[in-house]
Amino acid sequence: MNMPLQDAALDQLFRTARTYNGYLDTAVSQAQLEAIWELLKFGPTSANCLPARIVWCVSQDAKEKLAALAMPANGDKILKAPVTAIIGMDMEFYEQLPELFPHTDARSWFVGNDELIEKTAFRNSSLQGAYFIMAARALGLDTGAMSGFNNDDVDAAFFAGTKVKSNFISTLGYGDPASIFERSPRPNFDRFNTIA
C-alpha cells in the first residue's frame, strides 16, 4: 500500500503551484525536457494509446514562429519563456497500438471510426498534457498552459505532413513570482461534488 505524499510534495504539485505568466532568466536543459517525458509517459491513457506528440519550442526561431500564431499577450509569453511545448494529438495513434497494447487487437477498434479516433485522441492527449504539467512541477519547473492561438496555423507550421493536430500549448521554465496575481478561488468539496 502506498503512503500519502508529505505536505511539501502536495504543495509543490497542487496547493502552492501556480500557472505562470513569466519566467526567471534561467535555462531549461534538454535533459530536463526528456525527464518530463520519462515521467508523463507513465500516466494512464485508454489502451495505453499515448496520442500526445510534443514539439518543444526552444530555439528563438521556433518561439517566434509560434508566437506569431498566438494572440498578442500569449505571443509575448512564448517569446520570453525558456521553452514552450506544443501538446499535439496524433490522429493515427491507433497505428502504434500493436506495440503499445499488444494484449488484443485494439487497432481494429479505431480503423474507420473517425468519431472514436477524435474523442480518444483529444481526451487522452489532454490527460497527457495534464501529466506534463504535473511532471514539470515534480521536477521543480513551472508551466503556463494556454489556448489563445490558431490551431490550424500551428498545425500547418509545426505538424505539416503528419496526422498530428495541436491541442494546447504551455510555457515552461522557472516561474517569476512577479508575473502572477493572487490565486483565483477554489471552491470546497460540497459546491462542485456529489456523492451518489
Side-chain angles (χ1 to χ4, degrees):
M1 178 181 296
N2 293 328
M3 298 298 294
L5 296 177
Q6 298 295 312
D7 276 342
L10 295 174
D11 287 344
Q12 181 171 325
L13 293 174
F14 293 100
R15 294 188 290 232
T16 60
R18 298 294 305 274
T19 296
Y20 280 84
N21 297 305
Y23 296 88
L24 303 175
D25 187 18
T26 305
V28 175
S29 69
Q30 181 173 332
Q32 288 173 296
L33 305 184
E34 292 176 7
I36 291 171
W37 174 258
E38 290 302 320
L39 289 176
L40 81 84
K41 71 181 183 181
F42 288 108
T45 55
S46 59
N48 197 38
C49 64
L50 298 168
R53 304 293 181 265
I54 305 174
V55 173
W56 307 86
C57 295
V58 176
S59 71
Q60 190 63 28
D61 285 348
K63 289 192 273 188
E64 287 176 1
K65 183 163 64 168
L66 180 59
L69 305 175
M71 55 191 285
N74 287 346
D76 189 52
K77 294 175 189 177
I78 292 164
L79 291 172
K80 293 179 179 176
V83 179
T84 297
I86 306 170
I87 312 296
M89 49 187 168
D90 186 354
M91 306 309 284
E92 288 186 338
F93 66 86
Y94 52 89
E95 297 294 354
Q96 307 298 320
L97 290 178
E99 174 193 354
L100 298 178
F101 199 71
H103 323 292
T104 189
D105 181 18
R107 179 182 177 276
S108 67
W109 305 342
F110 297 97
V111 175
N113 191 338
D114 291 344
E115 182 180 2
L116 182 61
I117 291 167
E118 185 173 342
K119 286 182 178 179
T120 303
F122 181 70
R123 178 183 305 114
N124 288 280
S125 66
S126 297
L127 280 172
Q128 289 188 276
Y131 304 146
F132 156 84
I133 292 168
M134 301 311 289
R137 289 176 176 180
L139 294 170
L141 293 158
D142 299 297
T143 61
M146 64 183 94
S147 47
F149 63 96
N150 187 306
N151 289 81
D152 291 339
D153 289 348
V154 167
D155 296 349
F158 290 92
F159 298 120
T162 75
K163 294 291 187 176
V164 179
K165 296 182 178 182
S166 53
N167 186 333
F168 70 95
I169 60 178
S170 180
T171 52
L172 175 70
Y174 294 94
D176 180 356
S179 73
I180 55 175
F181 44 83
E182 188 174 343
R183 183 186 287 280
S184 299
R186 298 297 198 272
N188 64 23
F189 184 89
D190 291 341
R191 184 166 171 192
F192 291 150
N193 296 270
T194 302
I195 297 177

